[in-house]
Amino acid sequence: AEERGTSVYLVDRTIPMLPEKLSNELCSLRPDEESLCFSAVFTLNEEAEVLDKWFGRTVILSNRRFTYEEAQQIIETGKGDFAEEVLTLNRLAQRMRKTRFKRGAVSFQREEAKFKLDAEGKPLGVYFKEQKEANQLIEEFMLLANKQVAEFCGHHKVNGRAVRRTMVYRVHDVPNEEKLEKFRTFVLRFGYVFKADKGRAVAKEMNKLLGQAKGRIEENVISNLAVRAMSKAFYSTDNIGHYGLAFPYYTHFTSPIRRYPDMMVHRLLARYLEGGKSADRDTFEKLCVHASEREVIAAEAERASIKYKMVEFMQDKIGQFFDGHISGMSDWGMYVELDETHIEGMVSLREMEDDLYQFDENRYEVYGRRKGRIFTLGDAVRIRVKRADLQRRQLDFELVHDAAADSREDDVKGHAAIPVRRQSTSRPGKGGKTSRKGGKKGSKR
């Protein structure tokens, strides 16, 4: 577990952090079987405020295992097994969620790409799971446990005086002001005004902006760029708080089967509950760095797995036409995300032969030097699938003529003017890598 750091979730298989006899059997919570647990037990009032808490080793006998779909049906209909209990939990979860955002948490709702696979693992279709109240119910109570365990271990007092104890934290720094400035410049092109540049106001503005963009053509593009503008969460013994969740103390406690930091937290919590002294900080800091590195490697593997399956899905669609939107740009090409499947490929600027196209990094647009045609993020386009290279996980698209699209016929000097949206004609695309524009498994908070 220490070496792997985390379980890895590929499209067609899971590589568990622990041996399967543990992860799928002994440590798996199954109904009507007694299991050894480490519990965080809370007494909450109707406002979801914690009145009392207790941490300790327990034996649990699960009455019922629900799928998210089953729990969601109870929430929507009020009927089903343990309906009163599920509805009570959901009511409290929604109250905690409301309070969290009121205090400045950032709301990133990103779609998670899923595949329908045949018996041989070949993708038959792509779909996206919608996060509903049943998902939020689980999320909020996991956040509650993680936050309270972190505070118990890290915010310790003896005779009224704070005593520092070594703890593994999940931390998230404040946003980078330079990245926020680039983000602000970009969203202005879509007519959005992003006022904040630092502090908790950034979270409030970000939530407002994401709410305004929801359901619009540019939603995915803005959401992905917003994530990139934020800092990345990681593990550390140095607590700087979690900006994205607006928590002064936060850790990962709820998934010791699939994340090694949770296992470390269990051991530290057990040590401190027994009155033990603070653990060696250097030892745990090295493990935190290793776990953060392994998390990045696992995330890259998961993205590569999705890219592979998306290219495999498109292999028998060479020559077919699809509608999409421009989702990214670089010096060598424009990325186009297909509307129906969110699969992404690239159109090479070098092979757009109707003009000499260049990428303007400052304005974040591609323009034709002779005819002045301009392409920008979010523009609707129609493409033909040109190539699908499974080994390199790359999709090549070419733009096709769209008579209804607007066009610019200015010379290169006209490039300084405000660009016309919804661009037009072009020719073949080549090269480029596919990338997943949805979410990944879990929130990775």
Side-chain angles (χ1 to χ4, degrees), residues 35-101:
S35 298
L36 298 176
C37 289
F38 212 141
S39 294
V41 181
F42 302 100
T43 302
L44 307 177
N45 62 17
E46 279 294 327
E47 297 301 311
E49 298 167 331
V50 178
L51 303 179
D52 190 29
K53 56 191 172 186
W54 179 87
F55 308 107
R57 299 186 184 279
T58 59
V59 177
I60 188 172
L61 181 66
S62 172
N63 297 113
R64 175 76 150 77
R65 171 184 278 177
F66 290 94
T67 63
Y68 281 108
E69 291 74 18
E70 289 172 334
Q72 185 62 34
Q73 188 172 13
I74 292 173
I75 291 170
E76 292 176 0
T77 66
K79 299 177 181 178
D81 294 345
F82 301 98
E84 184 180 351
E85 288 83 350
V86 172
L87 293 172
T88 299
L89 288 170
N90 186 58
R91 187 171 67 253
L92 291 170
Q94 291 302 315
R95 173 65 69 176
M96 286 189 285
R97 185 177 178 83
K98 182 179 179 180
T99 301
R100 185 160 59 83
F101 289 129

Side-chain angles (χ1 to χ4, degrees), residues 294-306:
R294 295 303 305 175
E295 180 185 30
V296 171
I297 292 170
E300 289 173 350
E302 290 167 12
R303 283 194 293 268
S305 171
I306 289 168

Side-chain angles (χ1 to χ4, degrees), residues 282-294:
D282 289 343
T283 299
F284 278 89
E285 181 60 29
K286 289 176 182 176
L287 290 171
C288 283
V289 171
H290 174 71
S292 297
E293 291 172 349
R294 295 303 305 175

Side-chain angles (χ1 to χ4, degrees), residues 1-2 4-7 17 146 150 166-173 231-242 245 250-266 268 281-299 440-445:
E2 179 184 326
R4 290 186 174 183
T6 181
S7 294
M17 181 183 74
N146 289 336
T166 296
M167 182 58 179
V168 172
Y169 297 100
R170 179 68 168 178
V171 297
H172 184 226
D173 208 349
S231 301
K232 294 186 182 300
F234 60 96
Y235 299 103
S236 176
T237 57
D238 182 20
N239 182 36
I240 60 172
H242 197 295
L245 293 171
Y250 189 64
T251 190
H252 275 169
F253 164 79
T254 54
S255 299
I257 297 173
R258 66 182 183 92
R259 291 186 306 222
Y260 188 70
D262 301 57
M263 195 181 293
M264 290 193 282
V265 168
H266 278 224
L268 289 170
R281 185 181 177 190
D282 289 343
T283 299
F284 278 89
E285 181 60 29
K286 289 176 182 176
L287 290 171
C288 283
V289 171
H290 174 71
S292 297
E293 291 172 349
R294 295 303 305 175
E295 180 185 30
V296 171
I297 292 170
K440 57 186 177 180
K441 187 172 185 67
S443 65
K444 293 294 182 187
R445 283 170 172 162

Side-chain angles (χ1 to χ4, degrees), residues 322-387:
F322 296 91
D323 292 319
H325 287 81
I326 296 174
S327 56
M329 292 180 169
S330 67
D331 288 330
W332 52 87
M334 300 187 301
Y335 296 94
V336 175
E337 183 180 274
L338 305 185
D339 293 341
E340 187 176 350
T341 60
H342 292 202
I343 290 174
E344 190 182 63
M346 198 180 83
V347 176
S348 171
L349 300 186
R350 186 174 58 185
E351 294 198 5
M352 292 168 62
E353 297 175 354
D354 65 309
D355 202 341
L356 178 62
Y357 288 95
Q358 286 189 324
F359 171 57
D360 185 332
E361 185 177 5
N362 293 326
R363 297 172 65 91
Y364 217 81
E365 63 189 24
V366 167
Y367 68 97
R369 292 181 64 88
R370 294 190 296 268
K371 300 179 181 178
R373 286 174 173 168
I374 294 173
F375 296 88
T376 189
L377 286 177
D379 279 355
V381 293
R382 187 165 178 80
I383 62 94
R384 184 180 74 87
V385 182
K386 190 174 183 181
R387 277 185 295 271

